[in-house]
Amino acid sequence: MSMTPEKAGLIAEENFKKGYNCAQAVFCTFAERLGLSEQEAMRISQPFGGGMCRLRETCGTVSGMFLALGLLEGSNDPSDKKAKDEIYAHGQELAARFTKLNGSIICKELLGFVPIKEVADAAASTSPVSEARTEEYYKKRPCPKLCACAAEIFQTYLNEHGITK
């Protein structure tokens, strides 16, 4: 079930261009490997798009990586501190790789939005209404390339750690 990082990146970018949100585009790239149907993966990851429900916080592509990481390496034992610490370390490693390439893991920073100081501005920039996917939308957004980047990072991580689930 292994693929090259480049192939994972292409799939994630194409997913986004088909209308998936950023989290879905990355997470669904690995759906089969995670033992999920495409429909299950889309539902699970949908609220993480747009920096968590379009709040412009943690980039959905990073959330997509973290969701996949949890399904592949997460523990279901709440008392297993070692497992919790390990998954946090691995998640931080993925976030650091993403930050090194893109400068941030924060959606509003990646999109070039000015930090929000007023409540009225906050409401306007975090509207729950998604934008129409037009040619202009794709010209002004780095999202397709960020999807590719995150999927490539995650596939590289899987290859490096010998994770073949």
Side-chain angles (χ1 to χ4, degrees), residues 50 53-56 123-132 137 141:
C53 291
R54 231 170 159 263
L55 291 169
R56 305 301 187 209
S125 70
T126 58
S127 165
V129 180
S130 59
E131 293 180 58
Y137 172 91
R141 295 286 179 163

Side-chain angles (χ1 to χ4, degrees), residues 20-150:
Y20 297 38
N21 72 33
C22 46
Q24 290 171 322
V26 174
F27 189 60
C28 290
T29 298
F30 303 97
E32 184 180 339
R33 183 178 210 162
L34 300 168
L36 298 172
S37 71
E38 183 86 1
Q39 293 75 27
E40 290 169 321
M42 288 185 75
R43 286 194 312 272
I44 290 166
S45 56
Q46 188 173 39
F48 296 91
M52 306 236 176
C53 291
R54 231 170 159 263
L55 291 169
R56 305 301 187 209
E57 297 299 334
T58 302
C59 176
T61 67
V62 174
S63 294
M65 287 193 294
F66 288 175
L67 287 164
L69 177 67
L71 279 172
L72 287 172
E73 293 192 306
S75 170
N76 58 9
D77 179 356
S79 67
D80 188 346
K81 182 180 176 343
K82 183 176 186 268
K84 188 183 296 184
D85 292 347
E86 285 177 1
I87 200 112
Y88 290 169
H90 292 199
Q92 288 184 14
E93 176 186 340
L94 292 168
R97 291 181 189 194
F98 189 88
T99 299
K100 183 177 181 181
L101 295 170
N102 299 293
S104 180
I105 65 166
I106 304 301
C107 176
K108 63 185 157 206
E109 293 174 4
L110 294 163
L111 295 178
F113 294 164
V114 176
I116 299 162
K117 298 195 185 322
E118 307 224 359
V119 175
D121 290 343
S125 70
T126 58
S127 165
V129 180
S130 59
E131 293 180 58
R133 297 287 183 92
T134 64
E135 195 173 316
E136 277 306 305
Y137 172 91
Y138 288 113
K139 283 182 186 175
K140 68 180 182 176
R141 295 286 179 163
C143 304
K145 294 299 180 196
L146 294 173
C147 292
C149 180

